[in-house]
Amino acid sequence: MRRTKEDAEQTRRMILASAMDIFYEKGYSKTTFDEIAKRINLTKGAVYWYFRNKPDIVAALINDYAERYMQLLQQFFEQNPQVSFSRLTKMQLFINKRIREDELFYKFLFFITCQMEWSEAIINKIQPSIEQTKQVTRKLFLDTLQTLQEQKQIKENVDTTLIAEILMTMYGGILDAAFTRRLSTEFDTAVETGFNLIFNSIKTEGAEL
């Protein structure tokens, strides 16, 4: 029985890897279950046994990504315990480095950012998985910003919740521009410059970035 479970999990991961490759190459709408199955020598029926439809596959990929992403953030915060403006910038540069070095991570983010057709039906299906990942990032940004405000390093009248949302949205925009080769400067430089512009506008006099 143990071996059967291991085989089933291995097959599931093979299906997800195959789907990820084809999603990355062709986009969501042009990918079929036949192609996913054929690439790993399975029948279409075998793929359906694990996943009822493509939104189920995307949801599984997002769940896997969320787990990997949270592990990355945990690793970063263990290495950078000091609360500061620069910790938030370094966190995003740390993610950038992993995007460059981890092919699967790159493919997933490229697919979600550039190759995914977001119909309302698909969004409703996978929204919980997406929101879980956003909430983790949002909390890390917000906790840091609120601590800095309590330490009088951020102006008292600044809405830290709004700033956290702006930073997340800005990073997403820079990431999209980098993937689609519309970014006229280096990826890390754009992130660092953008974050510092925001931080300089909200920090108190004498606070260091």
Side-chain angles (χ1 to χ4, degrees):
M1 175 64 80
R2 178 178 173 79
R3 183 60 185 167
T4 300
K5 288 181 179 179
E6 289 175 352
D7 288 345
E9 179 59 22
Q10 182 178 4
T11 301
R12 177 183 176 277
R13 292 197 171 278
M14 287 172 58
I15 292 170
L16 289 177
S18 175
M20 184 71 268
D21 282 342
I22 302 173
F23 285 154
Y24 171 73
E25 294 164 9
K26 300 178 63 174
Y28 177 83
S29 62
K30 295 180 181 178
T31 299
T32 67
F33 268 47
D34 279 328
E35 291 173 302
I36 294 170
K38 189 176 296 184
R39 184 163 293 203
I40 50 177
N41 297 318
L42 291 178
T43 64
K44 182 169 67 172
V47 177
Y48 275 117
W49 192 84
Y50 287 88
F51 301 100
R52 292 172 298 174
N53 47 46
K54 287 195 291 184
D56 278 355
I57 292 178
V58 175
L61 287 169
I62 289 174
N63 284 333
D64 283 359
Y65 158 77
E67 183 178 344
R68 289 159 61 85
Y69 182 71
M70 285 187 280
Q71 289 173 351
L72 280 176
L73 292 182
Q74 182 179 0
Q75 177 186 345
F76 174 82
F77 273 82
E78 286 175 354
Q79 296 172 353
N80 298 270
Q82 184 67 37
V83 176
S84 65
F85 288 105
S86 64
R87 180 168 71 164
L88 293 178
T89 306
K90 288 176 181 177
M91 178 178 74
Q92 297 307 130
L93 298 182
F94 178 74
I95 297 299
N96 289 4
K97 184 173 184 290
R98 183 52 61 98
I99 292 171
R100 289 191 292 268
E101 295 177 350
D102 186 332
E103 184 180 9
L104 290 177
F105 200 59
Y106 176 90
K107 284 183 176 181
F108 173 82
L109 289 177
F110 181 87
F111 159 61
I112 288 295
T113 304
C114 304
Q115 295 279 62
M116 183 67 194
E117 296 89 352
W118 295 104
S119 70
E120 185 174 353
I122 294 172
I123 290 174
N124 290 338
K125 176 74 176 181
I126 63 180
Q127 185 64 31
S129 300
I130 295 174
E131 192 57 32
Q132 177 190 15
T133 306
K134 284 185 176 179
Q135 287 292 356
V136 171
T137 307
R138 187 180 290 114
K139 186 176 188 306
L140 292 173
F141 273 102
L142 189 55
D143 286 353
T144 298
L145 292 171
Q146 288 178 338
T147 298
L148 289 171
Q149 194 169 47
E150 290 168 2
Q151 295 174 349
K152 310 298 184 184
Q153 296 188 61
I154 289 179
K155 297 172 185 175
E156 190 174 322
N157 64 340
V158 168
D159 183 342
T160 53
T161 301
L162 176 60
I163 296 300
E165 291 294 333
I166 290 172
L167 290 169
M168 290 172 59
T169 303
M170 180 175 64
Y171 179 78
I174 295 172
L175 180 65
D176 177 72
F179 278 144
T180 54
R181 300 181 183 178
R182 293 179 290 110
L183 194 62
S184 59
T185 189
E186 200 268 333
F187 187 20
D188 285 357
T189 301
V191 172
E192 190 167 12
T193 301
F195 273 48
N196 284 344
L197 283 170
I198 298 294
F199 294 152
N200 273 316
S201 72
I202 65 173
K203 75 181 186 68
T204 55
E205 186 175 353
E208 295 183 0
L209 298 186

